[in-house]
Amino acid sequence: MTPPSTPPPTAPSSPVLSVRDLSVRFRMRGGRHVAAVTGASFDLAPGHCLALVGESGCGKSVLASALLGLLPGNAETAGTPHLDGVELLTASERELARSVRGRRIGLVPQSPAAHLTPVRTVRAQLEETVRELTGTPKHALRAAAEQAAARAAFPAGHLDRYPHELSGGLAQRAATALALVGDAPLLLADEPTTGLDRDLVDRTVDELRRHIDASGDAGDGTGRALLMITHDLAAAERIADRVAVMYAGRIVELADAADFFGTPGPRHPYARGLLDALPDRAFTPIPGMPPELGALPPGCAFAARCDRRTDVCTATVPAFTDGTACHHPLKTPAAAAPGGAARA
């Protein structure tokens, strides 16, 4: 049974990115299908960061690949993701390559070292990107590349190094510098803090936050926006305006970041479990393992791991209502019965 799609949050101005009912399935041998993303809907407003969080394998990076038109040939897609006047699923490869990637969407990849050309220096790659995306004349490329590096706090003394000569943190900053060159309306950061120590995590997300804050927003939809895909909840708390929690291919909660990480906290049991697993909180892992995307249960995909499940949870996929997709959402303090504690 397919539940109603996730309703979008209210955006303060015209969204940079508007996603409706985005679904991605992969055709496998023997006629089997893997439902990697199902019914995802959200808006991302100018000057805002949406953190898409969840355990590895929940479909976050597949969603990003769909927006970029980088899915493999066995992918089947549905839905309408719109970006700056372009319908991303129906756009041709030519349009995506020439006017979307780099120009409308800047990508900070999950594995930056693998996306840097190994036989060219960082300077050469920055100069090429600056020339391609901005039309800077040849005589000004060197200075423009150095300015681009400085925006991502990449040290000028390392510009003439090759990717294999960079640490993980430097490779991340090089990839970030390349992503920022085109001043794209949407910056898509896919696990931008993987493999970094805590100090570098904080510096990286602060740089991404400065990028969207510096664009401003006069209320006319002209600012930049950031979609950060991450399993690092501490990084998400540091940077996000809103949080979308994904589980088994579905968005199961959408909330303002201040409410999600503070009071009243998450309402979906899975989202609450993610926070409780943090070392600075309860440090209690969620029991069990996520289901295989190719063999999802008939009801709620989280039911087998949830201590709140009832018969309806195992039989019916919950609709998305009031910011969460759950038959038995956790009550907020305001919703608790008078004189009684909120159910946790």
Side-chain angles (χ1 to χ4, degrees):
M1 178 177 179
T2 302
S5 61
T6 308
T10 301
S13 58
S14 298
V16 172
L17 175 68
S18 179
V19 177
R20 296 291 180 274
D21 296 322
L22 177 61
S23 295
V24 180
R25 298 197 314 167
F26 295 108
R27 299 185 307 275
M28 310 302 287
R29 291 180 178 177
R32 189 170 64 92
H33 286 82
V34 173
V37 179
T38 302
S41 296
F42 58 87
D43 283 344
L44 183 48
H48 280 220
C49 169
L50 173 68
L52 182 61
V53 305
E55 293 168 294
S56 296
C58 70
K60 304 187 301 297
S61 293
V62 172
L63 188 152
S65 295
L67 298 179
L68 290 162
L70 296 176
L71 293 169
N74 67 330
E76 298 175 346
T77 59
T80 53
H82 287 275
L83 171 70
D84 195 24
V86 177
E87 205 288 281
L88 297 173
L89 291 188
T90 60
S92 66
E93 173 58 28
R94 179 182 175 86
E95 183 178 8
L96 291 170
R98 299 189 65 176
S99 64
V100 174
R101 300 180 196 128
R103 289 177 170 82
R104 286 186 170 96
I105 302 178
L107 173 65
V108 181
Q110 184 171 351
S111 302
H115 286 74
L116 298 171
T117 304
V119 296
R120 305 187 67 199
T121 65
V122 175
R123 183 189 300 278
Q125 294 179 63
L126 276 172
E127 289 182 355
E128 179 184 29
T129 303
V130 168
R131 182 181 67 249
E132 179 68 22
L133 297 183
T134 69
T136 300
K138 185 175 181 179
H139 71 271
L141 283 177
R142 185 178 181 89
E146 291 175 356
Q147 291 173 0
R151 290 179 66 184
F154 187 91
H158 291 72
L159 279 170
D160 294 311
R161 294 189 174 186
Y162 292 89
H164 73 272
E165 298 177 301
L166 304 178
S167 66
L170 285 175
Q172 181 64 66
R173 278 180 271 173
T176 301
L178 288 166
L180 299 182
V181 167
D183 283 324
L186 174 65
L187 187 63
L188 199 164
D190 186 4
E191 301 285 5
T193 61
T194 299
L196 303 183
D197 61 38
R198 199 73 245 166
D199 179 62
L200 281 175
V201 166
D202 292 345
R203 291 174 64 180
T204 297
V205 297
D206 288 349
E207 288 158 11
L208 296 175
R209 183 77 231 187
R210 279 194 293 271
H211 174 68
I212 58 172
D213 287 344
S215 70
D217 179 24
D220 57 2
T222 58
R224 295 188 289 261
L226 171 64
L227 175 59
M228 187 172 82
I229 295 171
T230 185
H231 63 271
D232 187 337
L233 290 175
E237 182 176 11
R238 189 176 181 92
I239 192 175
D241 298 291
R242 291 183 66 79
V243 178
V245 181
M246 201 166 193
Y247 186 78
R250 302 179 189 273
I251 293 177
V252 297
E253 182 153 359
L254 272 168
D256 289 335
D259 293 338
F260 185 86
F261 291 107
T263 301
R267 299 187 64 218
H268 195 283
Y270 172 67
R272 182 66 62 87
L274 288 179
L275 285 188
D276 286 346
L278 295 176
D280 60 346
R281 300 211 181 203
F283 206 23
T284 303
I286 302 172
M289 296 292 291
E292 293 289 336
L293 294 177
L296 293 174
C300 173
F302 187 63
R305 307 173 72 186
C306 184
D307 61 4
R308 301 169 67 85
R309 66 181 179 273
T310 61
D311 289 345
V312 69
C313 301
T314 58
T316 307
V317 177
F320 195 101
T321 306
D322 295 331
T324 187
C326 182
H327 292 297
H328 308 294
L330 297 155
K331 293 182 179 179
T332 64
R343 187 177 182 185

